[in-house]
Amino acid sequence: MSRTDASARSGTAAAGDLWRHRTVPAVRFRHRLVLFALTGAGLASVIRLADWWFRADHVAQPVLFVILSLAFWYGIGRIVLGWVNHVALVRTEHRAAPAAMPVAIFTTSAPGEPLAMFERTLAACARVRYPHQTYLLDDTRDPRFREMAERHGAVWLELVDVPGAKAGKINLALALTSEEFILVLDPDHLPFPEFLDRVLGQFDDERVGFVQVAQAYYNQSGSFTAAGAAEQTFVFYGPGQMGLQGHGACVAIGANCTFRRGALESIGGHGVGLAEDLVTAIRLHAAGWRSVYVPEVVSRGLVPEDLGSFYRQQLKWSRGVYEVAFTELPRLFRHLTWRQQLAYLTIGTYYLSGATMLVMITIPYLYLWTGLQPATMRFAEFLAAAWPVAVIGACMYGAVQHWLVDPKAERGVHWRGLVLKVASWPVFLRGTVLAVLRADVPYIPTAKRAVRGRFLRLAWPQLALMACYIVTLLQVGFVRAMRTSEASLELSSEAVWGMVGFATLPILAGLGAVYAARQAGRPAERDPWESVDVTMIGGDA
């Protein structure tokens, strides 16, 4: 099927079921029993694995063993934190929106962003039922944007060369407006008519500083990259944020978030930086404001459709979240609850997976070329010790999909999201190094349409790893066939082929990234918003 056909299919979906309001089911007592049982069994399996792993006779090279253990248990630790988060799952109950609340919708435009996309966005904003005023914070110097804003009943604010990128424009717009509640809407997101009706009631509690809703997409079928990028978010925007809500630590995510003006003013305005959403959220939590997560689909937006745009987005985020870990969290730590501390520490260290992935990739090659190994563990024993953790993790992952915000479109194995995550380790590693060096990364809005990319520029890390893998296999085959005795062959067989197996896993993920890089060379002929009929947006599923 061609990319044009895929876009046509997306357009068909956009005209129907895709644009209906959705909410997650309630969390029942029986659900909590299952989650607690899985978590309990999972913790027991992790303790059993740790008891086996940290045996003195498993240490071969002490330094390498420490490095391997840090990388391996970082991954296990994140799995455990996910389980702990899931046991706190809560669905926020709907509260009817009071009448006559003064509300503004802020959406920003930047040079190079497509005018046609804003036509859909502002048309959708005009259809939001709750009385409000939409503001276009414009930085394009293009007079057509002003004409378009006025045509859709929006107020045009020209905010040119404002420092702080998107957050800077929001802060300046706060000084030029007076509405008490502000919905920050990314320009590639189309709000449903019922959007504000589903969130404003939560502000009846005067301690609530912001209300975040789920993020969903309408172009995830546009390419392999779009599907993988969307899959990476499904669990977070469903059970992930619902668990954080239960812990009193749900976070702002930059789009579809409604703020109380008084809350923003209490912290000196919207946070500025590559991770401005997290910076704002942690400052609000530290100032004593509550956050509310509404697990509902009341808008849809775009994910990157080409691998180059996806990588640039991930570099920005990987560099940006360390601002929370290195700067904001130490400064505000004592003002947060222990659950909020744990949540922000978990989020702020997410992109360490780039460094740990480098370790996990390097270890097999180190052994296969030099014979050095960090641990003397039999491969079969490792599988016997680790499989319960893997099985329980898979069961938990399946169980929490009950609370995906759009199960029909989102339920599944999400293998493309995993492939992109594994393949992105060089990007994550670069972001980590830049953060350690305190190097700046420019704030560049994520591309709203697919950008043609050069195959070799996008795929070279995967191709280089594949070349290394093939050479290593040839070397292993030659050494074992020509230079290894029968007795040594039998003794080393399990270790050698176990390491080959570990080396193969990132190669399989790399094949998906190579395919995505190839696909980026021939982007879709149509922009995703061309197939959207704004009049079809809204209503219950």
Side-chain angles (χ1 to χ4, degrees):
M1 182 178 66
S2 70
R3 301 289 297 281
T4 302
D5 292 337
S7 296
R9 279 183 52 187
S10 177
T12 301
D17 198 49
L18 191 66
W19 295 98
R20 298 293 177 254
H21 165 252
R22 285 176 172 78
T23 187
V24 300
V27 184
R28 307 294 185 188
F29 178 72
R30 66 179 184 275
H31 297 141
R32 296 204 181 278
L33 285 180
V34 171
L35 296 176
F36 272 101
L38 286 173
T39 300
L43 292 175
S45 69
V46 168
I47 293 171
R48 175 175 174 270
L49 175 60
D51 179 63
W52 175 84
W53 181 278
F54 294 105
R55 294 179 181 175
D57 60 346
H58 284 167
V59 180
Q61 298 286 336
V63 174
L64 290 178
F65 183 80
V66 170
I67 293 173
L68 174 63
S69 296
L70 287 173
F72 179 77
W73 285 95
Y74 165 83
I76 298 296
R78 296 198 70 86
I79 292 173
V80 172
L81 289 172
W83 296 342
V84 172
N85 190 52
H86 293 327
V87 297
L89 274 168
V90 62
R91 185 190 70 175
T92 303
E93 294 302 318
H94 175 64
R95 295 186 179 186
M101 297 177 73
V103 184
I105 298 178
F106 285 179
T107 191
T108 61
S109 57
E113 291 186 316
L115 181 72
M117 181 186 72
F118 284 87
E119 287 281 2
R120 302 298 198 286
T121 302
L122 295 182
C125 289
R127 297 183 73 250
V128 172
R129 285 194 291 262
Y130 195 92
H132 67 281
Q133 179 60 65
T134 299
Y135 294 87
L136 176 61
L137 317 185
D138 184 29
D139 188 25
T140 65
R141 294 184 171 89
D142 186 340
R144 295 177 300 167
F145 278 76
R146 178 175 187 173
E147 297 168 3
M148 175 191 60
E150 293 173 349
R151 187 167 62 252
H152 291 290
V155 174
W156 175 77
L157 296 177
E158 186 175 33
L159 307 178
V160 176
D161 296 331
V162 177
K166 170 186 169 183
K169 285 187 276 192
I170 290 172
N171 287 333
L172 182 53
L174 286 172
L176 300 174
T177 59
S178 60
E179 289 83 0
E180 178 59 21
F181 302 96
I182 299 96
L183 165 60
V184 175
L185 185 77
D186 273 4
D188 60 345
H189 281 255
L190 301 175
F192 294 10
E194 58 267 42
F195 191 119
L196 293 174
D197 294 291
R198 305 300 302 178
V199 301
L200 291 177
Q202 304 298 333
F203 288 104
D204 279 352
D205 183 344
E206 294 185 355
R207 299 170 299 168
V208 172
F210 67 88
V211 179
Q212 178 68 62
V213 302
Q215 189 158 302
Y217 315 99
Y218 66 89
N219 70 325
Q220 62 200 48
S221 63
S223 67
F224 183 92
T225 297
E231 287 176 0
Q232 289 184 1
T233 70
F234 290 159
V235 170
F236 176 74
Y237 289 125
Q241 280 273 55
M242 290 173 67
L244 290 174
Q245 171 69 30
H247 287 297
C250 76
V251 296
I253 57 174
N256 304 330
C257 191
T258 306
F259 294 95
R260 187 190 297 271
R261 176 183 292 270
L264 290 177
E265 290 176 346
S266 74
I267 61 169
H270 199 287
V272 175
L274 295 175
E276 78 281 351
D277 47 357
L278 289 177
V279 170
T280 304
I282 192 173
R283 290 177 182 177
L284 287 172
H285 281 140
W289 294 97
R290 290 186 58 238
S291 58
V292 175
Y293 182 65
V294 175
E296 301 184 15
V297 177
V298 286
S299 79
R300 286 193 183 269
L302 301 176
V303 284
E305 289 195 5
D306 67 279
L307 191 61
S309 296
F310 175 78
Y311 281 162
R312 285 187 289 274
Q313 181 192 69
Q314 295 301 306
L315 177 62
K316 179 176 70 175
W317 289 352
S318 62
R319 171 63 182 92
V321 297
Y322 286 111
E323 296 174 16
V324 175
F326 290 170
T327 304
E328 298 294 330
L329 188 57
R331 183 174 66 87
L332 301 173
F333 193 80
R334 64 188 180 89
H335 299 291
L336 303 169
T337 68
W338 71 267
R339 293 183 176 189
Q340 292 169 344
Q341 293 167 355
L342 186 59
Y344 284 109
L345 181 62
T346 302
I347 294 170
T349 57
Y350 173 82
Y351 290 102
L352 277 175
S353 59
T356 61
M357 189 65 191
L358 175 62
V359 172
M360 303 304 285
I361 288 174
T362 303
I363 292 295
Y365 292 99
L366 184 66
Y367 172 77
L368 294 172
W369 280 96
T370 69
L372 286 175
Q373 55 183 340
T376 54
M377 302 174 180
R378 291 181 60 85
F379 186 63
E381 290 181 357
F382 170 75
L383 291 180
W387 75 261
V389 179
V391 170
I392 293 170
C395 290
M396 178 68 86
Y397 194 80
V400 298
Q401 288 195 28
H402 182 69
W403 294 281
L404 296 176
V405 291
D406 187 3
K408 184 177 178 181
E410 298 179 0
R411 186 178 287 125
V413 179
H414 303 155
W415 64 273
R416 287 164 295 197
L418 179 60
V419 162
L420 284 187
K421 180 178 179 180
V422 173
S424 296
W425 71 266
V427 180
F428 298 169
L429 180 62
R430 183 185 175 193
T432 301
V433 172
L434 291 174
V436 171
L437 297 176
R438 300 299 175 100
D440 291 331
V441 172
Y443 186 103
I444 301 175
T446 302
K448 305 304 188 291
R449 51 164 56 103
V451 179
R452 188 180 303 277
R454 288 186 290 178
F455 174 73
L456 288 178
R457 184 175 182 180
L458 295 173
W460 75 262
Q462 313 305 326
L463 295 176
L465 184 59
M466 290 175 186
C468 182
Y469 175 78
I470 292 171
V471 171
T472 300
L473 286 185
L474 293 174
Q475 186 265 353
V476 168
F478 174 78
V479 170
R480 292 181 68 80
M482 305 300 294
R483 298 182 179 178
T484 308
S485 66
E486 288 293 331
S488 295
L489 282 175
E490 184 174 351
L491 289 174
S492 64
S493 180
E494 182 180 351
V496 168
W497 298 116
M499 287 294 188
V500 169
F502 282 125
T504 303
L505 294 177
I507 297 300
L508 296 177
L511 292 173
V514 169
Y515 173 75
R518 187 71 177 174
Q519 200 177 51
R522 39 189 173 84
E525 298 173 4
R526 299 177 62 194
D527 291 322
W529 52 84
E530 291 181 15
S531 61
V532 178
D533 181 356
V534 174
T535 63
M536 298 293 293
I537 296 176
D540 290 324

